[in-house]
Amino acid sequence: MYYTNGNYEAFARPRKPAGVENKQAWLVGSGLASLAAAAFLIRDGQMEGSRIHILEEAELPGGACDGILRPDIGFVIRGGREMENHYECLWDLYRSIPSPEKEGESVLDEFYRLNHDDPNISHNRATLERGRSANTGNRFELEDEAALELMALFFTPDEQLYNKTIDDVLGESFFRSNFWLYWQTMFAFETWHSALEMKRYLQRFLHHIGGLPDLSALKFTKYNQYESLIQPLVAYLQQNGVQFEYGVRVCNVLFHFLPGKKVAHQLVLERHGHPETVELTENDLVFVTNGSCTEASVLGDNDHAPELDLESGQGSSWELWKNIAVQNPAFGRPEVFCSNIEATKWESATVTLLDDRIAPYVQQVCGRDPYAGKVVTGGIVTVKDSAWLMSWTFNRQPHFKAQPEGQLVGWIYGLYPERPGDFVGKPMEECTGAEICMEWLYHLGVPETEIEALARESASTVPCMMPYITAFFMPRQAGDRPEVVPEGCVNFAFLGQFTETPRDTVFTVEYSVRTAMEAVYTLLDVERGVPEVFGSVYDVRCLLNATHYLLDGRKLTDMKLPLPYKLALHAGLEKVQGTTLEELLTTYELI
């Protein structure tokens, strides 16, 4: 497997890999990474779909990319997916997946036209004082000290950030900035999360720094991600004969460790509760999604809080990874990520507005008619003075194809569910759906005398506690996450958010699809390059443009710099006079 960029290989069709007709594939889990791997096996590996087996413990595919109508409690979305134009592997996949709605178009075609005609932008990124705009003015408000700390983090080698937290490398000045408000709530970072992953995010999305305050960097699907991304992909796989096997829990993958190679030789599983084993040869390719951010999620309903009864580290995906990891150090250290639920949990809620009484308050904040079928909030709205650090959003409506006319479906989440709310006075994690809705309505500016009636009569809210939702952000070092294909593995690969691939960032659909592509291309020796992560971090134009925005338009010479930095800056500016670099600095308004 190798990386590439440009058009030369982007449209090339690889030849059929040698011996693929004698191989079959076993994919553990049916999340996006696993589904993508199956699609790459078919499209680029040219494996017969009937030789691909997807083993799923649940009764539905999709993993964390969910979206469902539960007859007993209503619409449920545990989260949403924010996308951008440089998800190279994701778009490489979906250019080949037929649109379920438009004959002759791909999912990518449909997505591109949707976001071209109705581009995303937020008119009000944050509120305070019960629905009043926080007037962040698309400014980052980074003091010079904080800007220098951020720059230092950006250029710090990975090795120096192993096992460090964000607050190990950034100070109080930074955490007071609008930058942190935008960043923390958009990506769900906490101060105790990995400084290394934050650095990766900075480098990965450098080209979108200017679009961070108003979320214009983002693109969204027409419906929830299950209907827009998962269902078309599943349909493609089913049409190609892929075998979906539900009610199957894989408990272990056993290996033979031979000189110079590692061979998966047996699957240990339970099929509808009955023990079973599958014997494997080197022609059986095994792909395991290790770990899960939505493992052991618990739903409540409008009248009941979710009841989390779980010890850290419990959950079938974690237990499978632990059983694999104990066999060899190359298989990673799952306990790094799943051993502290208090540090990795937060709570979300799906709110369905049953009539039109709450919608005017939504419209007042976002400045758009939520019934118009176009962008509504344009991404999350963060309640800056919320004790839960609540954010909420309404995407294009209807958000579900089955959504009744006149109803709206939105999403709420709180980064601090253990804190008492400002209106209900209870921690979010102890609240029923109706009580979470009351807290949200309070921060929308609904008169207090009307809040409870609206929450119970005009809305239905389904809370969801997710104990491992930010587990992949826990501080780490080399070896904690296994390589996609660990050294010496001839028929085995890991997929998903807890694997290691260079430069890309977790908590994205791109990471799932990228690891799937790398796994398939490696094990089948596909003669086509995997698109590398977009190289904005190496583009001087992107670096200068990001600097311009991070400084809120200030000139470099206006910064209050330590004397050595100031002397170096002036010496450097003298050196570039009359050069193209001076032209670039002028173009991006840095001098």
Side-chain angles (χ1 to χ4, degrees), residues 30 45 88-89 205 230 267 279 321 344 440 463 576:
S30 66
E88 314 294 7
C89 296
F205 297 114
I230 298 300
L267 296 178
E279 301 302 321
W321 186 11
T344 61
W440 173 60
V576 302

Side-chain angles (χ1 to χ4, degrees), residues 243-262:
Q243 306 297 301
F244 284 82
E245 302 177 34
Y246 298 106
V248 180
R249 176 184 178 183
V250 177
C251 305
N252 205 353
V253 182
L254 299 179
F255 290 81
H256 286 314
F257 298 99
L258 306 172
K261 65 180 180 181
K262 303 175 178 72

Side-chain angles (χ1 to χ4, degrees), residues 291-311:
S292 168
C293 66
T294 52
E295 175 72 69
S297 298
V298 183
L299 296 177
D301 60 31
N302 209 50
D303 300 312
H304 300 89
E307 296 184 11
L308 187 63
D309 183 18
L310 186 78
E311 297 294 325

Side-chain angles (χ1 to χ4, degrees), residues 24 49 168 212 267 298 324 419 423 457 461 472 545:
Q24 59 181 339
D168 283 336
L212 188 64
L267 296 178
V298 183
I324 294 172
R419 297 179 179 177
F423 178 73
E457 299 168 8
T461 306
F472 33 58
N545 191 51

Side-chain angles (χ1 to χ4, degrees), residues 36-268:
F40 290 131
L41 285 166
I42 293 169
R43 189 192 73 180
D44 301 330
Q46 297 166 66
M47 181 180 284
E48 291 291 333
S50 61
R51 302 183 70 83
I52 301 172
H53 309 266
I54 297 179
L55 309 178
E56 172 56 56
E57 182 180 9
E59 299 302 320
L60 283 174
C65 292
D66 63 349
I68 192 171
L69 173 58
R70 285 269 303 267
D72 53 336
I73 54 177
F75 293 108
V76 179
I77 41 175
R78 286 180 292 191
R81 299 297 174 267
E82 301 165 337
M83 286 160 279
E84 57 117 9
N85 50 328
H86 285 295
Y87 277 4
E88 314 294 7
C89 296
L90 183 78
W91 306 133
D92 192 295
L93 169 65
Y94 277 103
R95 67 180 171 86
S96 300
I97 307 303
S99 163
E101 294 197 331
K102 298 190 177 179
E103 185 75 26
E105 292 190 10
S106 68
V107 171
L108 173 58
D109 293 331
E110 184 181 22
F111 182 91
Y112 174 81
R113 290 172 183 142
L114 173 72
N115 285 277
H116 178 275
D117 295 342
D118 183 28
N120 191 75
I121 192 168
S122 168
H123 294 329
N124 194 356
R125 178 61 180 82
T127 62
L128 44 66
E129 297 175 1
R130 306 198 59 214
R132 187 171 66 84
S133 175
N135 290 322
T136 57
N138 291 349
R139 296 176 63 82
F140 288 108
E141 301 291 353
L142 282 167
E143 298 175 11
D144 291 339
E145 177 187 6
L148 290 173
E149 288 177 345
L150 200 62
M151 182 183 73
L153 173 60
F154 186 90
F155 289 111
T156 300
D158 287 2
E159 295 77 11
Q160 295 180 25
L161 296 172
Y162 288 165
N163 294 323
K164 287 192 175 181
T165 62
I166 294 172
D167 57 6
D168 283 336
V169 297
L170 297 168
E172 285 303 314
S173 170
F174 173 80
F175 295 122
R176 291 193 301 268
S177 69
N178 283 344
F179 182 96
W180 178 241
L181 175 74
Y182 305 145
W183 191 269
Q184 178 183 28
T185 54
M186 180 176 173
F187 298 124
F189 274 111
E190 308 273 20
T191 58
W192 56 84
H193 283 153
S194 167
L196 173 57
E197 193 64 28
M198 175 143 184
K199 173 205 163 180
R200 278 205 182 184
Y201 263 79
L202 285 169
Q203 294 187 340
R204 173 67 171 82
F205 297 114
L206 179 75
H207 53 289
H208 285 317
I209 290 294
L212 188 64
D214 62 9
L215 303 177
S216 58
L218 302 182
K219 292 174 170 57
F220 293 96
T221 53
K222 182 176 181 180
Y223 301 108
N224 61 83
Q225 67 247 342
Y226 186 78
E227 291 180 292
S228 289
L229 295 180
I230 298 300
Q231 285 187 338
L233 185 51
V234 169
Y236 169 86
L237 297 177
Q238 290 173 332
Q239 289 161 10
N240 279 277
V242 171
Q243 306 297 301
F244 284 82
E245 302 177 34
Y246 298 106
V248 180
R249 176 184 178 183
V250 177
C251 305
N252 205 353
V253 182
L254 299 179
F255 290 81
H256 286 314
F257 298 99
L258 306 172
K261 65 180 180 181
K262 303 175 178 72
V263 183
H265 76 88
Q266 188 182 77
L267 296 178
V268 180

